[in-house]
Amino acid sequence: LTKFGTEEKKMLKLSWSIKLNIQVLLLQFYSKIVFCFPFRFNYRSTHHLTSNGFYEFLNWFDERAWYPLGRIVGGTVYPGLMVTAGLIHYVLNLLHITVHIRDVCVFLAPVFSGLTSISTFLLTRELWNQGAGLLAACFIAIVPGYISRSVAGSFDNEGIAIFALQFTYYLWVKSVKTGSVFWAIGCCLSYFYMVSAWGGYVFIINLIPLHVFVLLLMQRFSRRVYIAYSTFYIIGLVLSMQIPFVGFQPIRTSEHMAAAGVFVLLQVYAFLQYLKDRLTRQEFQTLFFLGVALAAGVVFLSVIYLTYTGTNKLKCYAKIHIPIIASVSEHQPTTWVSFFFDLHILVCTFPAGLWFCIKNINDERVFVALYAISAVYFAGVMVRLMLTLTPVVCMLSAVAFSCVFEHYLGDDMKRQSPPAEDSRLGPNIKSIVTMLMLMLLMMFAVHCTWVTSNAYSSPSVVLASYNHDGSRNILDDFREAYYWLRQNTDEHARVMSWWDYGYQIAGMANRTTLVDNNTWNNSHIALVGKAMSSNETAAYEIMRSLDVDYVLIIFGGVIGYSGDDINKFLWMVRIAEGEHPRDIRESDYFTPQGEFRVDKAGSPTLLNCLMYKMSYYRFGEMQLDFRTPPGFDRTRNAEIGNKDIKLKHLEEAFTSEHWLVRIYKVKKLENRDRTSSL
Amino acid sequence: MGNPSTEDDTLLSEKVAQLMEWTSRRSVIRMNGDKFRRFVKAPPRNYSMIIMFTALQPHRQCGVCRQADEEFQALANSWRYSSAFTNKVFFALVDFDEGSDVFQMLNMNSAPTFLHFPAKGRPRRADTYELQVRGFGAEQLARWVADRTDVMIRVIRPPNYAGPLLLGLLLAVIGGLAYLRRHNLEFLFSKNVWAFSALCFALIMTSGQMWNHIRGPPYAHKNPSTGQISYIHGSSQAQFVAETHMCYAAVTLGMVLLCEAATSPLDIGKRRIMCVAGIGLVMLFFSWLLSIFRAKYHGYPYRSVTP
C-alpha cells in the first residue's frame, strides 16, 4: 500500500470519471434543464452576472420578485456560486471555446464533486495514510448523501460549498502539522471562498476554535498551533467581512464569538508560556495554569450559552412559533432509516473509525474526532445537515476499512518485521475476511447506484410515471404551463402562487412573482395564504390591493399527484392565521369531528374558499373512468363536495394537459356598479 | 322608590365586587350550584365567565381532568397577574361532586368541559371549547378565550427550576468525585474512556434518538384487530423506539474486534476466535439491518446473504 505513486493518481482520476459518468448518463434521459426550485434563482442571477458585469450584479435590485416589495439581491445572496460559474464561462470564452452559461451551470456540480473527492483524499492522507485516502475518495465519489446535491443540473450552493469545506479543512490540518504561515494563508483564502459560497461557513469558524481549545485542554499547545490559529483568525476575519451579505456579522453575532474568545485565550496562554520560560517559580506556574483553565472554562461556557439562547434555529424549537420553518420538510429531525439510506455500510463502520482515531490520538485526529461528533449531532437534529456529516463519515469509514485491509490483505512475510511462525492468523482466515469485506463494499456500490438512479435523478420539473406495461409516461405539465405564461401574458403581468413555485415562475415564465422560495418576508407570504384561504370576494380585495393579474395553482386530483396545493393547504392556513388570527382560523376548515375532508361532509369554509374553487372548477363534470363518479379526486380518494362552482371575479385562463397546473386571470373591476338599479 | 335600573346597578356592582374578591384570593373561583345560579345564570351580568366543568375527586379517577386543571390554573394565573386584567372576564370551576345539579341542568355528561358564558345572550355553539380537536394546552385555551371574549391572555408559566437544579446536582456529584480522586486523575487521560464515550454518542445520534426525543413515538405498535405487536414502523417516514434500540453497535464491535485480532499480543487461539467473532458479527448484523431496511423501503431490490 505504500508504493502506489502514479497508480494513486490513476485511481483518483478513475473515481472522478466514474462519478461524472454516472451523473451524465442519468442526464441523457432529459434535456439539459436546470431543475428544482432554488436552482432557477441561482441560474437567473448568474445569467444577470454574465450579461451585465460584476458590479451590476453586486448592486442588483430585483423588482420582478416579491412584488411590490422587490428584493435586494446583491446584499442577500452568497455570490460564490455565481462568480465561479461566471468566471469559468469568461475564461472558456476567452479561449474561444464558446459555451453557453446554461451548460456551465448544469455541469458545474459534477466537476466540483470530483474536486471534492480529491480534497477528501488529501485530507484523509494527512490524517491516516494513503490507503485510507484512496478509500475515502472512492466513498465520497458515490455516496448518496452527497450525490443528491451534486447531480448534473443541481446548481446550488452546496455543490461547491462541500468542496470548499474539505479543502479548507485540509489546509488547516496541514498548517497545524507544519506550523508555517504559507499553509495558514492558504487556509484563509480557502475559507474566504467558503464564506462566499455558503452560510454553513459558521460550522468552520466554530469547529476550528473548538479544535484549538481542546488542544489547549489536552496540553498539546505548541508553536505550530499558535502560528496557525493566529494567522487564520485575523486574516480569515478580515476576508470574510468582504462579502456584502456577511458584512459586520463576524464581530457582532454570537455565532462568531467563540472564535474571538479562543483567540484571546490563545494569546494569554502563549504569553504565560513565554513568562514561564523566563521565570522559574513553581507555584507561579501551577497557579496561573489553574487560573487560565478556569477563566477559559467560564468564557467558553458563557459563549456557548449566548449562542444557545441567541440562535436556536438549529434545534427546531422555533417551529412551534414560526410555521414557515416547520413546513419545510428538510428541517425535520432524522430517522435512522435516513441515515442508512444515505450512507449504507458507512454509517455502521464510521464509529469504528472514530474509535481507532481516538486510540491513536495526535493533533490532527483530535480535529477529525471533534468534526465527527459535532456533525453527527447536527445531522441527527435536521435532515438537511446530513450533507455536512457525509464527508466525515466517508473519511472515518475509510480509516476503519484501511485498518482492516492493512492487516488482512498484505502478505505477512513481506513486512518489515515478520511476526513469529505461530502468531500469524493463517492465510485461510485472512482471505475469507478479505473476501467478505470486499463483498460488503460491492453491496455498498450497488446500493449507491440504485439510490442515485431512483431517488435523485429525475428533475422535479418533469414528472415520470410508469404504466401497467412498464413503459414510462412523462408529464411535462409544469413546463407547458410556464411557457404558456411566457408567451400569452403581458410582459409586466404579476402572478400570484404559493412560494414553492416562485423561482420557477420567475425563471421559466419570466414573470413578476409575489412570493418565492427565499421566504424572507413572512407577512407577505401570510397575505398570499390569506387570499388563498378566504372566500372569493375577500380574496378579490386582497388581490386588487396587490395588483395581481394571474393566479397559478397546482392540482393533482386528475393524476393522483400528492404534492399539490390542496395537500399544502393547511400550511397556507396556518401561516395566514399566524398573522391574521381574527380572520382565519384553522379549526374552521375541519369538520366537527376534526377531519380535513373535501367531499360533501367537509367544512363549508373549506368548500367555499378560493383554493378549493380554483382547484375544482369544472372538475365536477369530469369523469376519469367509469368505475368512479364524476368529480372524483384521485389524490384524496374522495368525491368532491362542491361540484357546481361559479367564479365571479376570476376566469380560467389555462389548464395544462393533465390538469396539473391551472392558471386563472383576475378580472378587472366592473365598468358600471351593478348594485345601482338600472 | 327604587328605580329598577339603579337597583340593578347596585346588584351588579355587588356581584362584580364579590367575584373580584374571590379572584384575588384564588385565580379560579370554585363554584357550587347556588353560586353558579347566582353569578352565571341570573342577570344582571356585564362580565364573561369561563368555566371548567370537571371531576377532580380521586375516586372519579379522571387523569385528563387533573392535567386540564393544571393548564387551566396556569391560564387563570396568567390572566390574574397580567397587566390587562379587568373585571370583565372571570375564571371558575365546577366540580361534579360539588355541583352535580349544574351538570344536570346543562345536560353535561363528560368531563372536562370548558364553557364560555358571554355577558350578553346565550352561549352559542362556539362557546363550547372543542377539546378533542384542540387539546387542553393553556396556549390553545388562551386562543379560544381571545376568540370568544376579545381578551388576549399571554400564558406565562412559572419557570421550571427542575432542570437547572438537576444540572447543579450533577455538577456537584462530578466535582465531588473529582475531588476524591484528585491524586489519581489517570482516568481522565485514559484513551479508552474518551474513545468509548465518543463512540456511544455517535451511535446514539445515528440511531435516531433525536427524532424520538422530538416526536415522541410509542415503543411499539399493537395492531388492535389481530393483536400482533409490530416493532417496526411500516413506512420510512417514522420509527418506533423499539427500532432505534437495535443499533449499529454490533457491526462496529465486529470491525474493532477484527483489527484487534490482527494486532493484539494475545495468544493465537484467542486471536483466531476474536477474528471469527468479529467477521461473524459484522456479516450477521449487517444482513439483519438490511432486512429491516427492506421492510420499510418497499421496492428495495437487494437482499444480503442471509435474508
Side-chain angles (χ1 to χ4, degrees):
Chain A
L1 281 170
T2 49
K3 46 180 165 73
F4 264 44
T6 50
E7 291 207 11
E8 126 216 345
K9 292 200 182 56
K10 273 192 233 160
M11 272 213 62
L12 276 180
K13 288 206 194 86
L14 187 68
S15 67
W16 193 349
S17 59
I18 287 176
K19 189 175 188 52
L20 272 179
N21 276 335
I22 290 180
Q23 289 164 345
V24 175
L25 209 71
L26 296 162
L27 195 61
Q28 277 175 3
F29 274 124
Y30 313 101
S31 56
K32 286 180 283 214
I33 51 177
V34 178
F35 36 78
C36 244
F37 307 126
F39 313 154
R40 294 304 311 190
F41 171 71
N42 292 335
Y43 173 63
R44 203 165 138 245
S45 325
T46 317
H47 192 72
H48 195 265
L49 169 67
T50 48
S51 330
N52 303 350
F54 182 61
Y55 285 106
E56 273 302 316
F57 171 69
L58 270 188
N59 294 325
W60 185 26
F61 180 78
D62 188 10
E63 71 273 357
R64 289 176 77 84
W66 294 88
Y67 186 86
L69 305 165
R71 179 184 171 187
I72 307 171
V73 178
T76 59
V77 81
Y78 285 106
L81 181 67
M82 296 86 175
V83 170
T84 313
L87 197 67
I88 294 179
H89 177 250
Y90 175 70
V91 165
L92 284 178
N93 276 343
L94 207 62
L95 297 173
H96 291 291
I97 307 173
T98 39
V99 180
H100 193 270
I101 183 71
R102 185 192 58 212
D103 297 332
V104 173
C105 293
V106 166
F107 288 110
L108 192 75
V111 168
F112 269 82
S113 69
L115 287 175
T116 311
S117 298
I118 295 190
S119 46
T120 310
F121 161 72
L122 291 170
L123 181 56
T124 318
R125 190 184 60 175
E126 289 302 318
L127 288 172
W128 201 259
N129 63 18
Q130 261 187 8
L134 285 175
L135 274 174
C138 290
F139 284 157
I140 202 161
I142 53 176
V143 74
Y146 181 50
I147 286 226
S148 61
R149 294 300 196 184
S150 68
V151 284
S154 121
F155 185 56
D156 201 8
N157 298 34
E158 281 99 349
I160 58 170
I162 299 295
F163 159 66
L165 189 86
Q166 290 290 85
F167 201 57
T168 311
Y169 284 151
Y170 162 63
L171 290 172
W172 167 251
V173 165
K174 207 68 179 144
S175 56
V176 165
K177 259 181 147 174
T178 60
S180 83
V181 178
F182 170 71
W183 290 107
I185 297 282
C187 184
C188 295
L189 290 174
S190 175
Y191 174 64
F192 171 59
Y193 184 56
M194 176 74 188
V195 172
S196 73
W198 195 34
Y201 75 91
V202 181
F203 188 52
I204 301 189
I205 199 65
N206 279 311
L207 188 63
I208 292 187
L210 183 68
H211 178 221
V212 172
F213 182 65
V214 170
L215 284 181
L216 283 185
L217 280 182
M218 290 171 68
Q219 295 184 315
R220 282 179 170 269
F221 174 79
S222 60
R223 279 183 64 240
R224 298 173 282 121
V225 172
Y226 178 70
I227 293 175
Y229 187 65
S230 309
T231 322
F232 172 77
Y233 180 67
I234 305 250
I235 306 222
L237 186 74
V238 171
L239 281 179
S240 66
M241 293 205 281
Q242 303 306 310
I243 309 286
F245 191 24
V246 174
F248 282 103
Q249 277 179 34
I251 49 177
R252 275 207 227 139
T253 60
S254 50
E255 293 144 342
H256 300 85
M257 284 303 122
V262 170
F263 179 68
V264 168
L265 178 70
L266 193 67
Q267 304 304 316
V268 169
Y269 194 88
F271 181 62
L272 287 173
Q273 292 286 86
Y274 176 78
L275 280 185
K276 187 181 86 164
D277 291 338
R278 298 286 181 276
L279 303 161
T280 53
R281 271 172 290 171
Q282 190 73 331
E283 310 96 282
F284 175 87
Q285 182 221 335
T286 341
L287 197 68
F288 263 89
F289 174 61
L290 280 172
V292 158
L294 196 68
V298 163
V299 162
F300 204 81
L301 279 174
S302 62
V303 155
I304 289 190
Y305 175 78
L306 281 175
T307 318
Y308 178 84
T309 53
T311 56
N312 248 344
K313 289 195 271 275
L314 286 175
K315 262 228 148 174
C316 290
Y317 285 117
K319 79 161 93 170
I320 302 172
H321 306 288
I322 307 181
I324 275 199
I325 296 188
S327 68
V328 180
S329 66
E330 285 179 323
H331 291 177
Q332 311 296 320
T334 326
T335 56
W336 75 268
V337 193
S338 313
F339 278 110
F340 195 78
F341 183 78
D342 274 339
L343 300 168
H344 205 245
I345 182 113
L346 299 185
V347 77
C348 310
T349 52
F350 114 90
L354 189 61
W355 170 271
F356 292 135
C357 258
I358 299 189
K359 291 281 281 185
N360 306 309
I361 200 83
N362 63 18
D363 288 347
E364 307 79 78
R365 293 178 194 159
V366 171
F367 175 72
V368 82
L370 288 171
Y371 181 16
I373 293 179
S374 47
V376 93
Y377 170 69
F378 287 129
V381 183
M382 208 198 261
V383 167
R384 192 175 177 189
L385 295 176
M386 177 84 79
L387 186 66
T388 48
L389 178 67
T390 310
V392 72
V393 160
C394 291
M395 290 198 295
L396 286 175
S397 320
V399 163
F401 274 104
S402 156
C403 269
V404 172
F405 282 136
E406 204 176 340
H407 294 303
Y408 286 85
L409 200 56
D411 198 347
D412 268 335
M413 295 317 291
K414 294 216 188 97
R415 287 178 200 277
Q416 240 66 342
S417 49
E421 180 66 40
D422 55 349
S423 69
R424 270 180 288 140
L425 273 175
N428 287 334
I429 289 190
K430 287 171 82 170
S431 43
I432 291 180
V433 169
T434 316
M435 234 173 45
L436 290 175
M437 284 284 145
L438 282 176
M439 214 175 68
L440 282 179
L441 286 180
M442 244 172 27
M443 276 166 50
F444 170 64
V446 162
H447 169 90
C448 292
T449 327
W450 178 84
V451 165
T452 315
S453 68
N454 280 23
Y456 292 134
S457 68
S458 45
S460 51
V461 171
V462 176
L463 296 174
S465 65
Y466 293 89
N467 294 327
H468 295 293
D469 52 355
S471 62
R472 196 207 301 255
N473 205 12
I474 301 237
L475 302 160
D476 214 359
D477 286 43
F478 289 102
R479 288 201 295 172
E480 184 192 342
Y482 295 140
Y483 283 119
W484 182 91
L485 259 186
R486 196 190 190 119
Q487 285 164 345
N488 291 296
T489 57
D490 180 64
E491 204 192 324
H492 298 287
R494 289 158 294 269
V495 180
M496 178 171 95
S497 71
W498 193 234
W499 59 262
D500 302 34
Y501 319 113
Y503 281 155
Q504 278 191 340
I505 296 178
M508 285 204 258
N510 198 20
R511 292 287 170 267
T512 311
T513 51
L514 254 60
V515 290
D516 63 24
N517 309 58
N518 193 29
T519 64
W520 66 271
N521 192 331
N522 195 33
S523 330
H524 212 55
I525 296 183
L527 214 66
V528 171
K530 186 176 170 199
M532 297 289 193
S533 8
S534 322
N535 59 38
E536 201 188 338
T537 321
Y540 183 63
E541 272 181 42
I542 300 178
M543 290 195 285
R544 290 293 314 163
S545 73
L546 288 173
D547 251 355
V548 174
D549 292 317
Y550 291 92
V551 185
L552 184 147
I553 59 160
I554 307 289
F555 172 60
V558 172
I559 56 170
Y561 177 60
S562 58
D564 67 353
D565 280 352
I566 292 274
N567 275 358
K568 289 183 197 159
F569 183 61
L570 278 177
W571 285 113
M572 298 188 199
V573 172
R574 278 175 200 143
I575 295 177
E577 189 182 358
E579 294 281 324
H580 308 272
R582 287 179 191 289
D583 306 317
I584 309 280
R585 271 175 291 268
E586 194 183 337
S587 50
D588 288 344
Y589 296 87
F590 288 102
T591 63
Q593 293 80 24
E595 295 172 321
F596 182 75
R597 297 175 71 145
V598 295
D599 53 13
K600 275 204 211 17
S603 128
T605 324
L606 174 66
L607 261 52
N608 284 315
C609 74
L610 187 69
M611 175 57 73
Y612 189 93
K613 281 186 166 177
M614 286 199 294
S615 296
Y616 293 120
Y617 182 65
R618 287 192 306 116
F619 187 61
E621 300 130 24
M622 188 172 184
Q623 187 161 20
L624 295 167
D625 65 58
F626 48 85
R627 287 172 295 182
T628 53
F632 186 77
D633 183 348
R634 272 202 184 139
T635 319
R636 261 71 51 184
N637 276 327
E639 186 182 343
I640 61 170
N642 193 358
K643 289 193 189 171
D644 189 20
I645 296 178
K646 299 249 181 308
L647 289 174
K648 190 164 156 228
H649 299 289
L650 298 172
E651 63 182 3
E652 187 183 0
F654 177 77
T655 299
S656 65
E657 187 185 343
H658 298 100
W659 289 51
L660 255 185
V661 185
R662 309 195 70 178
I663 305 181
Y664 290 83
K665 188 176 160 74
V666 178
K667 288 192 207 167
K668 301 261 184 278
L669 290 168
E670 298 280 347
N671 267 334
R672 215 170 28 172
D673 192 6
R674 296 236 164 180
T675 57
S676 64
S677 55
L678 199 87
Chain B
M1 195 178 103
N3 202 344
S5 61
T6 46
E7 252 182 41
D8 264 353
D9 281 345
T10 43
L11 184 58
L12 181 62
S13 47
E14 258 179 38
K15 280 165 82 168
V16 171
Q18 177 72 282
L19 284 172
M20 289 292 281
E21 195 215 322
W22 280 334
T23 308
S24 63
R25 268 190 264 145
R26 256 173 149 197
S27 319
V28 178
I29 309 170
R30 284 191 89 97
M31 290 203 164
N32 56 15
D34 289 326
K35 284 194 200 152
F36 183 80
R37 276 183 283 275
R38 188 167 162 235
F39 285 96
V40 183
K41 277 293 179 183
R45 217 159 40 99
N46 67 349
Y47 48 82
S48 295
M49 295 290 289
I50 312 265
I51 310 197
M52 175 171 74
F53 295 86
T54 184
L56 286 171
Q57 295 293 328
H59 66 263
R60 297 280 168 202
Q61 294 203 334
C62 177
V64 184
C65 298
R66 255 166 266 149
Q67 289 170 336
D69 181 54
E70 276 176 27
E71 299 287 317
F72 193 63
Q73 293 281 352
L75 182 66
N77 281 330
S78 316
W79 166 240
R80 184 171 146 217
Y81 293 112
S82 80
S83 49
F85 180 61
T86 63
N87 55 5
K88 291 285 172 248
V89 178
F90 294 101
F91 286 83
L93 179 156
V94 178
D95 196 298
F96 185 72
D97 298 295
E98 287 175 1
S100 48
D101 46 347
V102 184
F103 274 75
Q104 270 184 348
M105 178 172 44
L106 292 169
N107 255 341
M108 207 177 304
N109 37 22
S110 70
T113 317
F114 296 91
L115 280 184
H116 165 244
F117 291 89
K120 300 267 175 294
R122 305 191 50 120
R124 274 173 279 164
R125 207 171 128 209
D127 286 316
T128 310
Y129 181 66
E130 296 141 342
L131 195 60
Q132 271 81 7
V133 177
R134 301 212 209 179
F136 46 75
E139 282 83 7
Q140 279 80 350
L141 278 168
R143 234 187 281 166
W144 171 69
V145 169
D147 224 10
R148 305 312 308 163
T149 63
D150 280 345
V151 154
M152 303 287 295
I153 305 178
R154 223 179 116 221
V155 179
I156 304 169
R157 294 174 190 273
N160 189 5
Y161 289 115
L165 206 65
L166 213 62
L167 189 69
L169 203 67
L170 191 71
L171 281 176
V173 164
I174 291 179
L177 279 174
Y179 181 71
L180 286 173
R181 294 196 64 178
R182 66 183 178 281
H183 298 296
N184 183 14
L185 278 179
E186 282 308 310
F187 73 94
L188 261 187
F189 298 113
S190 148
K191 290 192 198 135
N192 279 333
V193 170
W194 285 107
F196 189 66
S197 34
L199 203 73
C200 281
F201 182 73
L203 284 172
I204 287 175
M205 284 291 143
T206 52
S207 60
Q209 298 303 327
M210 285 309 286
W211 197 95
N212 287 350
H213 177 67
I214 293 181
R215 296 292 180 87
Y219 188 78
H221 177 67
K222 192 163 173 185
N223 194 337
S225 45
T226 65
Q228 194 190 18
I229 302 183
S230 55
Y231 292 104
I232 302 172
H233 196 279
S235 93
S236 57
Q237 306 294 327
Q239 60 189 29
F240 293 137
V241 179
E243 286 174 44
T244 61
H245 284 318
M246 64 80 250
C247 51
Y248 318 107
V251 180
T252 310
L253 189 64
M255 294 282 286
V256 173
L257 277 180
L258 273 180
C259 266
E260 296 284 328
T263 55
S264 78
L266 295 171
D267 76 279
I268 188 64
K270 283 212 185 69
R271 282 168 60 196
R272 283 224 179 87
I273 294 177
M274 271 167 71
C275 177
V276 171
I279 193 71
L281 272 176
V282 170
M283 294 312 291
L284 209 69
F285 279 93
F286 187 64
S287 331
W288 189 38
L289 268 180
L290 212 61
S291 61
I292 299 183
F293 184 70
R294 274 175 60 92
K296 294 179 74 106
Y297 265 99
H298 311 288
Y300 187 69
Y302 304 115
R303 56 169 74 239
S304 62
V305 235
T306 60

